[in-house]
């Protein structure tokens, strides 16, 4: 009987879902001036343990840079970040006026109404791809 109860406890423990990192609501906004960087926005949901977002890149951009918009003394400026912490279970929002990813030198084939693959790399060796819709500079977010 004890063996059956132990087996049942192990089986039930396996039923609990391991919380994984999730990417939601990602999109890329094209620049208003051709040749300028595009911006990627998204929401990250932290997994079961703390990690850091190391990069967001795309095969359709030369490079991607993590940035944060800050206001100091009435002046707004962007600062490049080496990485961004993603605590376990936390929600990290990348949105206009805050955290974002600058995608430098986009392939000219990237057009509003299409999509672009984004590759998210985390410090825990996880890599996730998300096909993000592309919007024009003045269009609303999808």
């Amino acid at each position: 009987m004890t063996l059956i109860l132990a087996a049942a406890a192990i089986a039930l423990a396996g039923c609990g879902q391991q919380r994984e990192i999730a990417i939601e609501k990602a999109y890329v906004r094209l620049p208003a001036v051709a040749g300028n960087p595009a911006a990627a926005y998204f929401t990250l949901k932290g997994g079961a343990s703390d990690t850091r977002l190391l990069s967001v890149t795309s095969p359709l951009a030369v490079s991607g840079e993590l940035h944060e918009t800050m206001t100091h003394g009435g002046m707004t400026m962007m600062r490049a970040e080496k990485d961004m912490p993603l605590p376990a279970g936390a929600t990290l929002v990348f949105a206009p006026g805050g955290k974002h990813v600058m995608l430098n030198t986009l392939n000219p084939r990237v057009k509003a109404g299409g999509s672009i693959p984004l590759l998210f790399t985390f410090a825990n060796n996880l890599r996730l791809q998300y096909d993000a819709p592309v919007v024009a500079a003045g269009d609303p977010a999808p």
Side-chain angles (χ1 to χ4, degrees):
M1 180 71 165
T2 305
L3 185 58
I4 293 172
L5 289 175
I10 291 170
L12 285 175
C15 289
Q17 291 185 337
Q18 179 77 351
R19 195 170 47 211
E20 296 181 14
I21 294 173
I23 304 162
E24 299 176 348
K25 304 175 187 172
Y27 70 98
V28 171
R29 183 171 304 284
L30 294 173
V33 177
N36 283 354
Y41 304 110
F42 46 88
T43 299
L44 292 177
K45 303 277 184 159
S49 59
D50 294 349
T51 191
R52 292 179 327 281
L53 175 63
L54 299 178
S55 67
V56 178
T57 59
S58 175
L60 297 176
V62 170
S63 65
E65 296 176 2
L66 300 172
H67 278 223
E68 186 153 12
T69 303
M70 310 176 121
T71 304
H72 292 290
M75 287 185 54
T76 301
M77 59 183 127
M78 287 187 296
R79 180 176 73 194
E81 300 287 346
K82 179 180 140 201
D83 58 35
M84 300 236 176
L86 181 59
T91 298
L92 189 59
V93 177
F94 285 65
K99 294 173 179 56
H100 58 281
V101 174
M102 300 302 293
L103 295 172
N104 300 303
T105 317
L106 275 186
N107 185 303
R109 295 181 312 182
V110 177
K111 304 285 184 203
S115 66
I116 183 172
L118 298 176
L119 180 63
F120 293 75
T121 303
F122 299 89
N124 62 358
N125 295 319
L126 180 65
R127 286 188 172 187
L128 299 173
Q129 183 173 319
Y130 189 103
D131 289 327
V134 178
V135 299
D139 289 349

